[in-house]
Amino acid sequence: MRIALFLGFLAVAISYAAWRGGGPERVMAVIAATMVGLDQLLHAFVPPNFLSLDSGHLAIDLFGAAATIILALFAHRFWPMCVAALHITPLLAHTSRIIDVHLHPAAYLTMQVATSWLVPAILILATWRHRRRLARGDSEPSWQISSPSSNPTIAPR
């Protein structure tokens, strides 16, 4: 029941971000959808096992952390840094499992999934804030610009 509730919540967040979000929100929607798709694909072939290192979820979590860190580096938004931190947290679960093979399976599972519940809420809030900025007429770029010549706030050398 919890999984269905989470997937429904995430589906709402992904749909809203894809429909009404700016570039960073849409990229996060793709990252989240990809992670869910990879998780479903993994479970089609490998049953969940939290008694030992879960290398399938480790790979998915590495993808999620790397993708959201890259998003945080390039997005002209604050929220991707928060989501990147949330995607790094499950990597600590895998590290804990490697260090302590006697870690209780429920603790390992909880450490992997607990922070996931915050991602849809942040994505919905981020998309809503983006829409609110547009409604006010604020023009805020979606992406950081690294070239000094194309960024008027950085004086050319």
Side-chain angles (χ1 to χ4, degrees):
M1 178 65 179
R2 278 179 301 193
I3 294 171
L5 185 61
F6 172 75
L7 290 175
F9 186 32
L10 185 62
V12 167
I14 289 170
S15 299
Y16 182 49
W19 177 47
R20 304 291 285 172
E25 292 80 18
R26 289 180 177 158
V27 168
M28 186 62 231
V30 170
I31 293 168
T34 301
M35 291 180 73
V36 168
L38 290 171
D39 184 67
Q40 295 302 309
L41 185 64
L42 173 67
H43 290 296
F45 296 102
V46 180
N49 177 14
F50 299 101
L51 296 173
S52 61
L53 179 65
D54 186 354
S55 57
H57 283 114
L58 173 59
I60 294 169
D61 292 336
L62 282 169
F63 162 77
T68 53
I69 288 169
I70 291 168
L71 174 62
L73 289 172
F74 290 101
H76 193 265
R77 307 268 199 278
F78 177 76
W79 67 264
M81 289 184 275
C82 299
V83 174
L86 293 173
H87 278 131
I88 290 170
T89 304
L91 297 177
L92 298 175
H94 299 297
T95 304
S96 297
R97 171 55 82 193
I98 292 168
I99 292 170
D100 181 9
V101 293
H102 300 293
L103 178 68
H104 194 281
Y108 183 39
L109 168 65
T110 302
M111 289 171 68
Q112 280 188 46
V113 301
T115 58
S116 300
W117 282 88
L118 297 173
V119 173
I122 291 172
L123 186 55
I124 289 169
L125 180 63
T127 304
W128 176 77
R129 287 185 42 108
H130 170 72
R131 298 307 307 170
R132 202 171 98 187
R133 282 190 302 273
L134 291 179
R136 283 194 315 248
D138 295 346
S139 69
E140 180 180 89
S142 292
W143 304 105
Q144 297 286 351
I145 300 170
S146 62
S147 171
S149 61
S150 63
N151 191 342
T153 61
I154 300 174
R157 292 183 184 178

